């Protein structure tokens, strides 16, 4: 089990998010993933820093931790060739420390820039084609590519990554999970998707991976709000209610005020059932252990605590040392 830190750039201003991420490396996290959004999930008090710029700043301020997006949608506002160039450059600057996670995106990141929001089938087709484009540019020279959605004409990346950049796919459904197993180096999912599909999402990934060499990376993002006062922790997690509304992923909903309104209809019971509200460190450990038993090899912890620095300190003192000790005992 590897523990990763999820930096929600819609939740914190970029300076504060950087401070937290630097502390996350000191605490012992092995990866740091950053959300990549144009609009945030809620309107009141939110941010929306540009993830690629922020990641370069984070990589410069850290030493060993691997950093990347969770996740980038290389479909509309980002041409996949541009994504390939950006992460090749990051990989050249910070060899062995960069990863890229891609997904089919949300309307809140594309529609505000004037792009028509495609249906689910087209988004899946676009993502599959985009992954092919990114891989070709990372490994080949003077690429000609004629796809249904993207074209390359003798395209060559003159700056390639110093070491291979792992490519992960974010999956909220079974078809996307199968694609992740077939084309990517690993899977990232979320608690809402896992609540809907259970282990089937991992089984779909494994079906796609069948016959491939190497050890697959299977990860999940867990939003955590930790505080000794449970009610205060519960209030803090409400900001993540919109991610439990499937409608905002599937339809052309892109105004954060509207997305926020959908989130307000999510019950506290559903928030508690899917996100993690904890008043004791042991509750966090138990949830991570349960996800490990389900088959995940990595958990991204999103810090939604009322006092985020306190959560990072608990991770440094208790949570990460616990899993280091268990690994030392020979646990898988």
């Amino acid at each position: 089990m590897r523990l990763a830190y999820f930096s929600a750039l819609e939740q914190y201003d970029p300076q504060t998010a950087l401070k937290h991420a630097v502390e996350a490396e000191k605490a012992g996290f092995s990866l740091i993933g950053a959300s990549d959004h144009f609009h945030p999930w809620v309107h009141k008090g939110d941010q929306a820093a540009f993830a690629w710029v922020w990641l370069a700043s984070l990589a410069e301020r850290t030493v060993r931790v691997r950093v990347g997006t969770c996740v980038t949608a290389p479909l509309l506002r980002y041409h996949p060739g541009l994504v390939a160039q950006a992460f090749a450059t990051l990989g050249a600057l910070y060899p062995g420390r960069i990863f890229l996670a891609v997904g089919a995106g949300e309307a809140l990141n594309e529609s505000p820039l004037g792009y028509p929001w495609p249906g689910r089938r087209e988004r899946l087709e676009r993502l599959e084609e985009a992954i092919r484009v990114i891989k070709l540019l990372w490994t080949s020279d003077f690429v000609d590519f004629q796809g249904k959605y993207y074209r390359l004409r003798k395209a060559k990346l003159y700056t390639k990554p110093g070491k291979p950049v792992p490519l992960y796919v974010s999956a909220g459904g079974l078809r996307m999970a199968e694609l992740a197993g077939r084309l990517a180096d690993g899977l990232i999912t979320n608690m809402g998707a896992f609540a809907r599909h259970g282990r089937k999402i991992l089984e779909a990934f494994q079906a796609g991976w069948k016959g491939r060499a190497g050890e697959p990376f299977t990860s999940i993002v867990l939003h955590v709000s930790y505080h000794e006062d449970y009610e205060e922790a519960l209030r803090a997690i409400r900001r993540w209610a919109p991610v439990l509304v499937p409608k905002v992923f599937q339809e052309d909903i892109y105004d954060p005020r509207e997305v926020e309104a959908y989130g307000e209809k999510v019950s506290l019971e559903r928030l508690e059932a899917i996100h993690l509200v904890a008043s004791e460190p042991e509750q966090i450990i138990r949830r991570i252990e349960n996800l490990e038993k389900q088959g995940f090899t990595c958990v991204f912890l999103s810090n939604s605590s009322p006092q985020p620095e306190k959560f990072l300190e608990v991770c440094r003192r208790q949570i990460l040392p616990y899993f280091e000790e268990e690994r030392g005992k020979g646990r898988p």
Side-chain angles (χ1 to χ4, degrees), residues 71-75 101-106 117-131 167-190 193 196-197 200-209 212 217 249-250:
V71 299
T72 292
L75 273 66
V102 296
E106 302 91 23
W117 183 236
R120 184 183 301 178
R121 179 178 178 179
E122 180 178 329
R123 297 200 305 274
L124 184 67
E125 291 175 344
R126 281 181 174 272
L127 182 61
E128 183 164 356
E129 197 170 294
I131 291 171
L167 178 65
Y168 307 136
V169 166
S170 172
L174 304 185
R175 290 182 63 195
M176 195 70 77
E178 186 277 335
L179 184 149
R182 183 160 41 88
L183 295 181
D185 300 305
L187 167 78
I188 297 178
T189 190
N190 58 70
R196 290 192 299 275
H197 300 290
K200 287 182 179 179
I201 206 161
L202 287 168
E203 291 166 1
F205 172 77
Q206 290 158 0
W209 188 274
R212 296 181 58 191
F217 175 85
F249 290 91
Q250 298 162 1

Side-chain angles (χ1 to χ4, degrees), residues 80-95:
L82 183 63
V83 176
Q85 183 185 31
F87 283 81
T89 300
L90 283 169
L93 287 167
Y94 307 101

